[in-house]
Amino acid sequence: MSKHAALDWSAIDTVLLDMDGTLLDQRFDNWFWQELIPSRYAQAQGMSQAEAWAVLAPKFRAVRGTIQWYCIDYWSTELNLDIVGIKRAALEQVGYLPGAQDFLAKLKLSGKRRVLVTNAHPVTLAFKNEQVRLTAHFDACYSTHSFRAPKEDAAFWPRLIAREPFVPQRTLFVDDSVPVLDAARVFGIAWLRAVRLPDSGRPAQDTGHYPAVDRVADLM
């Protein structure tokens, strides 16, 4: 596939969109899990932040790519921290990626069915929606937690289509995760696009062989 292959919008009926790193700035999540939570864990355990990270990093690696990785209930128990409370207190830092709101406005005018599909926990989705009013831009919104599998798990996609019927050959899916896009490709979604700049504070990421845009605004 060409890295800059154009979309044929006339061949697309449904648009599936990721949330964090595609529409919302992943800078918040990276800061939250890589800086704030290690700091809070260090305080709670009476250790340095470096010592805390040495404990946390293996815990994170052990569940990456599973539904637990995205589950705030799991991490509240595992780390003995009030993840919900800490996240709620930091919500003012949640925001859209550049151009995302304009893209969503144009997408609404296109007449395509707009579906949000996120690995975020339902509570996280609700919190972020309070801050940025994201769900109003969609015809349907799904957290993968209700399907018991994240988007990178092959089991997720048949469960999604059973609840949200769409024609894979006439569907566009946009995400910032290569493993997630890999699972969508295997399922048969024809139109796949990766986001190169999911975190506004970091350099562009490698999106492998997938056609990519710096931001979703570049799709239209």
Side-chain angles (χ1 to χ4, degrees):
M1 287 186 289
S2 166
K3 294 287 278 188
H4 304 285
L7 290 172
D8 178 3
W9 283 100
S10 68
I12 296 168
D13 297 326
T14 302
V15 180
L16 307 178
L17 294 170
D18 171 48
M19 182 171 72
D20 300 309
T22 297
L23 298 172
L24 302 188
D25 197 337
Q26 202 172 58
R27 190 170 190 172
F28 169 80
D29 301 278
N30 289 334
W31 165 77
F32 185 87
W33 290 105
Q34 296 173 20
E35 298 182 39
L36 183 59
I37 290 303
S39 175
R40 293 296 182 87
Y41 187 78
Q43 292 171 12
Q45 299 296 322
M47 59 177 63
S48 71
Q49 193 155 337
E51 290 171 328
W53 187 250
V55 173
L56 293 176
K59 291 180 181 291
F60 291 161
R61 284 196 299 270
V63 296
R64 189 181 294 274
T66 70
I67 202 67
Q68 286 85 359
W69 169 248
Y70 304 100
C71 183
I72 57 178
D73 296 329
Y74 173 85
W75 290 116
S76 293
T77 300
E78 182 71 16
L79 306 181
N80 196 27
L81 291 173
D82 179 13
I83 301 296
V84 171
I86 297 170
K87 184 163 284 193
R88 179 179 280 282
L91 280 181
E92 71 278 358
Q93 298 195 48
V94 173
Y96 284 95
L97 281 164
Q101 287 171 286
D102 288 341
F103 168 77
L104 289 169
K106 291 178 182 177
L107 188 61
K108 181 178 182 179
L109 296 175
S110 74
K112 312 298 181 185
R113 182 161 176 82
R114 301 155 297 150
V115 181
L116 181 71
V117 185
T118 177
N119 279 333
H121 189 278
V123 172
T124 298
L125 173 56
F127 280 179
K128 291 186 175 183
N129 189 54
E130 288 177 21
Q131 184 68 19
V132 300
R133 302 293 182 232
L134 178 63
T135 60
H137 295 284
F138 290 90
D139 299 300
C141 300
Y142 300 100
S143 164
T144 59
H145 290 256
S146 65
F147 298 91
R148 304 181 308 282
K151 289 179 287 183
E152 51 266 58
D153 187 329
F156 166 74
W157 293 97
R159 296 172 189 174
L160 175 66
I161 204 169
R163 192 180 305 181
E164 174 66 41
F166 60 89
V167 179
Q169 296 81 5
R170 295 189 60 83
T171 296
L172 165 65
F173 175 50
V174 188
D175 204 289
D176 64 295
S177 166
V178 169
V180 168
L181 290 167
D182 285 343
R185 176 182 54 80
V186 171
F187 183 67
I189 295 180
W191 299 91
L192 300 170
R193 292 295 182 272
V195 175
R196 275 191 292 257
L197 294 171
D199 181 329
S200 65
R202 296 186 178 183
Q205 65 171 356
D206 181 10
T207 58
H209 62 276
Y210 290 103
V213 290
D214 286 343
R215 55 184 193 163
V216 288
D218 299 331
L219 293 169
M220 282 186 156

